[in-house]
Amino acid sequence: MRNHEVVTKQPLLKEDGSLREPGWSKSLVQTYDRKQIKAPRMRIKEWDYYLVLNEDFAGAFTLSDDGYIGLQSVSLLNFKEGWEHTETILNAFPMGKMQMPSDSRQGDIVYRDKRLHMEYTLEEGQRRIRCKFDNFYQGKTFRCDITLVQPKMDTMVIATPWKEKKTAFYYNQKINCMPAKGKMEYDGKIYRFDPSTDFGTLDWGRGVWTYDNRWYWGSGNQMIDGKPFGFNIGYGFGDTTAASENMLFYDGKCHKLDDVTFHIPDGDYMKPWKFTSSDGRFEMNFEPVLDRAARTNALIIESDQHQVFGRMNGKAVLDDGTVIEVKDMMCFAEDVHNRY
């Protein structure tokens, strides 16, 4: 059955290292334990990525332990002025030294080196992101202290296998619609987040990937009719026969979608995009504002990323048939090809 929902609390992996029950769920019903993985430590990937976004600017924060490489990254995006800067620090062979938590609901993450001090801490009903990045850009320091309020609500969780390798899997949680408060500071300017209008999203992932993957992902949040609305769309990663990761969120409840297709103009990511859905429940136009493009090519590691920020307009349909009109939602959609 397509879009199988997992409701049984159980270990994520079987004894042979394969997924016990591929599918989607509203929370981390299945338990991740890196000790149960039957793949080399160099192939294990664990990451926490936060995006905090409003109409005018955004911050993106990554702490990750990807086996033979660690990737710690901060992005500052200014939509009004049309620029962004991403600074990344790579670490050789962390292989578990980052001690990434096995559950998004517990455990803090702290990273520190000569230039970067970044930490994610969990407090009661809140997530806090603090960062000091020396020589972030043009010799200037970036700082932030942001709190995301996390009310009780549904999330998008997906457990996805790969057909070609039984010990490869993707266990992922997206937490949308977290009101954001706090600030970022760079080059004498303060970027403040207002929890009445601004939101953060967490992309929490653990797994073992195959070497060569291309995926599409999009996400956004907005207050609509006085209630928080968000979406998560994506495909291309692993064997999604059991379930898609496409989901709407409205007033704390999730609404499962089937397949969504990204229609990206050939050769120009800044031309208008379209999104269509197999069930007719996500039909959108997307007007790009800024392309956060990054390309890395270092022997066996290759990455070509286009995370495009822009405004979404169209309609989304909840499980009960209610039509949500989306107007000028600042959000992003990305096309990423990685080999590592």
Side-chain angles (χ1 to χ4, degrees):
M1 179 181 173
R2 182 74 158 115
N3 287 323
H4 168 68
E5 182 180 1
V6 180
V7 295
T8 303
K9 289 187 177 182
Q10 59 192 356
L12 176 70
L13 301 178
K14 296 191 284 191
E15 297 203 358
D16 64 1
S18 64
L19 279 179
R20 186 176 302 276
E21 190 175 353
W24 73 277
S25 53
K26 299 175 185 177
S27 63
L28 292 175
V29 174
Q30 302 189 86
T31 304
Y32 170 81
D33 182 352
R34 102 179 246 129
K35 295 175 185 173
Q36 294 178 331
I37 294 174
K38 302 298 184 185
R41 285 190 304 156
M42 290 178 63
R43 300 301 305 167
I44 300 173
K45 292 179 170 54
E46 301 177 324
W47 70 95
D48 285 45
Y49 167 85
Y50 285 96
L51 175 67
V52 190
L53 172 72
N54 69 17
E55 285 289 307
D56 299 326
F57 52 84
F61 309 92
T62 302
L63 289 176
S64 70
D65 183 332
D66 296 328
Y68 57 81
I69 194 167
L71 186 153
Q72 325 312 330
S73 179
V74 172
S75 298
L76 175 62
L77 305 102
N78 189 315
F79 306 130
K80 270 193 166 180
E81 297 177 8
W83 60 266
E84 66 86 17
H85 183 72
T86 298
E87 197 70 19
T88 299
I89 291 175
L90 300 178
N91 320 110
F93 304 106
M95 294 196 296
K97 294 174 188 171
M98 294 265 311
Q99 297 184 322
M100 304 291 282
S102 60
D103 192 306
S104 68
R105 295 164 291 198
Q106 59 191 38
D108 299 336
I109 310 173
V110 179
Y111 176 84
R112 190 189 296 269
D113 65 26
K114 292 179 180 178
R115 285 178 64 203
L116 173 63
H117 175 206
M118 187 154 63
E119 56 185 57
Y120 302 156
T121 54
L122 292 177
E123 301 166 16
E124 188 65 34
Q126 297 184 338
R127 298 173 176 274
R128 192 171 181 185
I129 305 164
R130 281 176 287 189
C131 172
K132 180 175 181 285
F133 207 140
D134 291 328
N135 191 22
F136 175 70
Y137 185 49
Q138 297 178 336
K140 296 163 187 171
T141 298
F142 171 93
R143 291 181 174 85
C144 82
D145 189 345
I146 301 166
T147 297
L148 304 179
V149 179
Q150 187 180 350
K152 290 186 177 180
M153 58 184 175
D154 294 337
T155 68
M156 192 295 301
V157 177
I158 192 83
T160 301
W162 268 265
K163 286 181 180 177
E164 59 267 37
K165 192 172 182 64
K166 75 174 184 178
T167 57
F169 67 93
Y170 170 57
Y171 193 45
N172 180 235
Q173 180 181 40
K174 304 291 198 322
I175 304 178
N176 284 60
C177 300
M178 291 187 287
K181 58 184 178 182
K183 63 183 179 179
M184 304 183 295
E185 298 178 66
Y186 172 72
D187 193 19
K189 185 173 180 178
I190 296 178
Y191 301 81
R192 293 190 186 278
F193 292 104
D194 179 349
S196 67
T197 56
D198 305 340
F199 292 97
T201 297
L202 170 62
D203 170 16
W204 180 94
R206 305 291 185 263
V208 176
W209 306 353
T210 54
Y211 175 64
D212 191 331
N213 290 283
R214 183 175 187 176
W215 72 77
Y216 303 90
W217 176 36
S219 180
N221 306 295
Q222 186 180 50
M223 290 297 290
I224 297 180
D225 297 329
K227 296 176 181 178
F229 169 82
F231 69 85
N232 185 83
I233 53 175
Y235 61 99
F237 207 47
D239 177 9
T240 58
T241 303
S244 80
E245 66 174 74
N246 302 314
M247 190 176 284
L248 305 175
F249 306 92
Y250 190 60
D251 197 21
K253 299 297 182 184
C254 72
H255 302 261
K256 191 72 187 72
L257 304 177
D258 198 26
D259 292 313
V260 173
T261 302
F262 291 39
H263 303 275
I264 306 172
D266 287 339
D268 190 351
Y269 286 92
M270 292 301 291
K271 288 183 178 178
W273 303 19
K274 279 188 176 295
F275 297 86
T276 59
S277 51
S278 59
D279 52 16
R281 294 176 56 195
F282 193 88
E283 305 293 318
M284 300 285 175
N285 295 312
F286 178 66
E287 192 72 37
V289 172
L290 184 66
D291 178 9
R292 192 187 72 79
R295 187 176 181 91
T296 303
N297 194 344
L299 299 176
I300 63 171
I301 298 171
E302 183 178 358
S303 179
D304 187 7
Q305 305 179 25
H306 290 271
Q307 185 181 29
V308 181
F309 291 80
R311 291 183 172 84
M312 193 85 84
N313 286 275
K315 69 168 188 174
V317 182
L318 305 183
D319 288 343
D320 65 1
T322 300
V323 177
I324 302 294
E325 297 287 347
V326 175
K327 297 177 182 177
D328 292 329
M329 175 194 280
M330 182 59 79
C331 59
F332 80 89
E334 69 181 26
D335 176 3
V336 175
H337 184 194
N338 280 335
R339 294 193 308 124
Y340 68 91

